[in-house]
């Protein structure tokens, strides 16, 4: 795949002054940033390396990690610019292997080039996971297991979930993966009840997720799952009260080290069962810290959708784990495939995108249905009607003091963008929707906070128990008292605006920020087809945020470009697990 870049002019602040040769050319072409160049030259200088090909490889490796890969596949570097003459792969690897940096700052594994840190982390994850899946299966009472499964997974509708729970009960390590609506939370809640029933004594269970918002949703989703009419009361009592935390909080953050925790290989977690939700968002670094901290005789259950966007940091761990164990027998991975959430059309659309069936996906989108709508980017009237309507309803409710009505209006619809900035970015569309609100009110401007303003929390606030990604709304009159109201599991929490430290406006949010969320209706804004952020995983994630209706604002070119552009994150994890 050829990448497109924006060339830099001589006065651009992104220009790496002092760079020469290939580094200078690639920096001017926009392939390498100034930081990529400076880090590479500094590492080479410290290690006594003068070979320009080695320095070039380091710069490309730093770039790859910055973009989410954990290593660099030199055999694919030419895809960055097929017109450029690149070093021959074998000779390039030989030069790197002979470098004084190899074995210290750099590592080579199966033809892939790593920074030492990520090589160690990937190796630790491989070693720990293989050791866990290679352990003798836990001893359980099969009769009690069958009775628990029959009680909690009765009926044909639970067939997939029952099979996943049966397999997980026999494993120390389980991976439960599936798309939205396939019953992952239902399976987890009932599996936990089965495990409590099988335990000889009290079972110490830890629930965790990568972010505070995801942890709060996990807690709420499990509560809702146990309130199902066919969930036995005795089992509900056995697992009620479980509350998820962030992975960082579970492992024990340290003020002196951002990537090390209080719990580690020498001080394991005390829990008998550790469950991680939204595992697709877990980076390689965090996964390495997690698996080393879980006791070998404790159960580790990883839950998530392997087809969604990966972590914003380096790694695509869940996807790699699923692929790496695909051929293993027995495999620790359970796939849930039947969706119970969507209408047939949205489910079919998401599946076509996921499976790279661009013709089928375009046909479903372009023909439309009551659940799917394609909107021409030039149709300003329809776009304004669609986006301004929920914002106006939320503002009217907020000004009347109806916090629940305002929250419901905002959560009924959300605009999802690929970018934060630019013509297709969150910042521009938040401003645009605010201008429509001002026109509706006959006003020229709003203050910092205005009635009906949707808020999104940008960092965890443990004092206020607000988590990164939490959303709320400003309630009150513009000229009088106003408060921020957040949804706390179906109840409203009012917080003084003066106490909020880091919040933004959320008429529109990025697809990354929407992960784990569901909206009654979602509108997806596609950027130009040459946007490197526009990938198959991003499109799939965006579509599956909608419960009832998904609308896409974009062109056929952008749609097909996204489906034909799978996220490229270089990693050796899957291959090393499969060996």
């Amino acid at each position: 795949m050829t990448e497109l870049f924006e060339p830099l002019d001589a006065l651009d602040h992104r220009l790496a002054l002092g760079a020469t040769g290939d580094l200078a050319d690639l920096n001017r072409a926009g392939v390498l940033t100034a930081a990529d160049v400076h880090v590479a030259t500094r590492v080479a200088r410290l290690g006594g390396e003068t070979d320009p090909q080695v320095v070039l490889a380091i710069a490309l490796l730093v770039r790859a990690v910055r973009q989410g890969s954990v290593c660099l596949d030199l055999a694919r570097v030419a895809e960055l610019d097929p017109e450029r003459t690149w070093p021959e792969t074998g000779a390039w690897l030989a030069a790197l292997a002979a470098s004084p940096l190899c074995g210290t700052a750099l590592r080579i594994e199966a033809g892939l080039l790593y920074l030492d840190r990520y090589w160690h982390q990937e190796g630790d994850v491989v070693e720990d996971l293989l050791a866990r899946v290679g352990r003798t299966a836990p001893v359980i009472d099969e009769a009690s297991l069958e009775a628990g499964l029959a009680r909690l997974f009765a009926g044909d509708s639970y067939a997939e979930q029952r099979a996943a729970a049966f397999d997980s009960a026999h494993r120390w390590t389980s991976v439960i993966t599936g798309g939205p609506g396939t019953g992952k939370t239902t399976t987890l809640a009932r599996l936990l009840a089965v495990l409590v029933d099988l335990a000889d004594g009290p079972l110490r269970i830890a629930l965790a997720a990568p972010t505070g918002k995801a942890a709060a949703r996990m807690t709420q989703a499990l509560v809702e799952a146990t309130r199902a009419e066919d969930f036995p009361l005795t089992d509900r009592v056995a697992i009620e009260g479980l509350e998820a935390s962030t992975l960082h909080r579970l492992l024990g953050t340290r003020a002196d080290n951002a990537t090390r925790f209080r719990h580690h290989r020498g001080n394991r977690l005390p829990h008998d069962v550790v469950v991680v939700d939204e595992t697709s968002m877990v980076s390689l670094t965090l996964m390495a810290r997690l698996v080393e901290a879980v006791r070998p005789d404790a159960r580790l259950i990883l839950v998530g959708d392997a087809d969604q966007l990966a972590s914003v940091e380096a790694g695509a761990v869940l996807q790699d784990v699923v692929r790496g164990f695909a051929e293993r027998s027995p495999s620790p991975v359970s796939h849930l495939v039947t969706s119970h959430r969507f209408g047939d059309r949205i489910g079919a659309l998401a599946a076509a995108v996921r499976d790279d069936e661009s013709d089928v996906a375009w046909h479903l989108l372009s023909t439309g249905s009551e659940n799917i709508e394609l909107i021409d980017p030039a149709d300003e009237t329809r776009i304004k009607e669609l986006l301004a309507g929920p914002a106006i309803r939320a503002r009217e409710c907020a000004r009347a003091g109806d916090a629940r009505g305002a929250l419901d209006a905002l959560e009924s619809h959300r605009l999802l963008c690929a970018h934060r900035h630019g013509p297709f970015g969150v910042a521009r569309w938040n401003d645009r929707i605010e201008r429509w609100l001002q026109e509706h009110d006959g006003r020229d401007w709003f203050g910092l906070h205005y009635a009906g303003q949707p808020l999104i929390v940008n960092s965890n606030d443990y004092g206020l128990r607000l988590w990164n990604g939490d959303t709320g709304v400003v309630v009150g009159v513009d000229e009088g008292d106003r408060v921020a109201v957040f949804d706390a599991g179906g109840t409203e929490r009012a917080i003084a605006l003066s106490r909020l430290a880091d919040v933004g406006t959320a008429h529109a949010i990025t697809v990354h920020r929407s992960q784990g969320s569901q909206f009654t209706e979602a509108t997806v804004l596609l950027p130009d087809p040459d946007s490197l952020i526009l990938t198959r995983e991003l499109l799939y994630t965006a579509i599956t945020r909608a419960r009832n209706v998904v609308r896409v604002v974009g062109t056929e070119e952008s749609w097909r470009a996204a489906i034909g552009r799978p996220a490229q994150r270089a990693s050796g994890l899957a291959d090393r697990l499969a060996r």
Side-chain angles (χ1 to χ4, degrees), residues 19 154 166 256 266 288 304 338 391 403 441 481 497 503 512 530-531 536 539 546:
F166 175 86
D256 63 332
T338 303
D441 281 9
D481 294 334
L497 289 167
V503 295
H512 270 97
D530 59 359
S531 168
R536 184 185 306 161
L539 186 55

Side-chain angles (χ1 to χ4, degrees), residues 104-362:
T104 55
L106 302 177
R107 300 280 184 163
I108 298 174
E109 178 80 28
L112 302 174
L113 180 65
Y114 292 80
L115 292 172
D116 180 73
R117 167 188 173 186
Y118 292 104
W119 179 80
H120 276 293
Q121 289 175 359
E122 187 174 276
D124 288 345
V125 171
V126 170
E127 182 178 341
D128 287 330
L129 287 181
L130 289 179
R132 291 186 61 82
V133 299
R135 282 177 54 83
T136 302
V139 177
I140 59 176
D141 183 329
E142 295 293 343
S144 295
L145 173 61
E146 285 299 326
L149 293 175
R151 184 176 67 252
L152 285 152
F153 295 90
D156 293 341
S157 62
Y158 286 117
E160 281 184 359
Q161 291 90 340
R162 177 191 171 107
F166 175 86
D167 291 340
S168 295
H170 290 89
R171 304 169 181 155
W172 291 113
T173 301
S174 300
V175 181
I176 301 175
T177 184
T182 53
K184 297 188 295 295
T185 303
T186 296
T187 304
L188 177 61
R190 293 168 189 255
L191 169 61
L192 291 177
V194 169
L195 295 178
V196 169
D197 191 40
L198 292 174
D200 293 331
L203 196 66
R204 293 167 294 184
I205 301 173
L207 307 178
T211 67
K213 179 67 170 178
R217 290 197 192 101
M218 183 185 190
T219 300
Q220 183 178 354
L222 281 172
V223 169
E224 293 172 354
T226 61
R227 289 176 180 170
E229 290 184 1
D230 62 344
F231 201 104
L233 179 60
T234 54
D235 294 298
R236 182 185 308 166
V237 171
I239 64 171
E240 69 180 357
L242 292 175
E243 185 172 346
S245 72
T246 64
L247 276 170
H248 287 78
R249 196 170 187 180
L250 173 68
L251 296 173
T253 54
R254 287 171 43 176
D256 63 332
N257 196 316
T259 61
R260 287 289 179 179
F261 301 91
R262 288 189 293 104
H263 291 288
H264 45 73
R265 205 174 301 279
N267 180 31
R268 307 270 191 169
L269 290 164
H271 305 90
D272 303 306
V273 180
V274 176
V275 183
V276 180
D277 196 17
E278 296 291 352
T279 309
S280 64
M281 299 167 65
V282 177
S283 67
L284 176 65
T285 299
L286 196 51
M287 182 60 73
R289 301 297 172 249
L290 170 68
V291 294
E292 74 170 9
V294 178
R295 299 192 336 257
D297 60 343
R299 295 177 187 270
L300 174 62
I301 304 173
L302 305 176
V303 184
D305 185 349
D307 297 308
Q308 282 192 26
L309 286 167
S311 166
V312 294
E313 299 176 46
V317 178
L318 180 60
Q319 187 178 87
D320 285 340
V321 168
V322 171
R323 287 198 303 113
F325 285 133
E327 302 301 323
R328 188 180 186 90
S329 182
S331 172
V333 180
S334 295
H335 294 273
L336 302 177
V337 297
T338 303
S339 178
H340 307 280
R341 178 178 299 170
F342 301 117
D344 291 340
R345 298 285 286 186
I346 295 182
L349 182 67
V353 170
R354 180 195 64 207
D355 298 337
D356 191 19
E357 297 176 344
S358 59
D359 289 339
V360 174
W362 177 249

Side-chain angles (χ1 to χ4, degrees), residues 295-435:
R295 299 192 336 257
D297 60 343
R299 295 177 187 270
L300 174 62
I301 304 173
L302 305 176
V303 184
D305 185 349
D307 297 308
Q308 282 192 26
L309 286 167
S311 166
V312 294
E313 299 176 46
V317 178
L318 180 60
Q319 187 178 87
D320 285 340
V321 168
V322 171
R323 287 198 303 113
F325 285 133
E327 302 301 323
R328 188 180 186 90
S329 182
S331 172
V333 180
S334 295
H335 294 273
L336 302 177
V337 297
T338 303
S339 178
H340 307 280
R341 178 178 299 170
F342 301 117
D344 291 340
R345 298 285 286 186
I346 295 182
L349 182 67
V353 170
R354 180 195 64 207
D355 298 337
D356 191 19
E357 297 176 344
S358 59
D359 289 339
V360 174
W362 177 249
H363 174 74
L364 289 169
L365 178 64
S366 59
T367 55
S369 71
E370 62 180 8
N371 307 111
I372 299 170
E373 181 183 0
L374 173 64
I375 300 174
D376 188 331
D379 190 348
E380 294 280 345
T381 301
R382 178 59 178 148
I383 293 173
K384 180 177 180 179
E385 173 191 27
L386 182 63
L387 302 184
I392 292 171
R393 289 195 298 273
R395 179 160 168 78
E396 290 172 347
C397 289
R399 294 172 75 178
D402 181 3
R404 172 48 55 190
L407 286 168
D408 289 346
L410 291 171
E411 292 305 302
S412 69
H413 176 271
R414 193 57 54 94
L415 174 63
L416 306 179
C417 302
H419 295 266
R420 289 194 298 269
H421 302 288
F424 303 98
V426 165
R428 180 177 186 272
W429 283 87
N430 274 324
D431 289 343
R432 193 170 184 183
I433 293 171
E434 285 185 352
R435 288 199 302 272

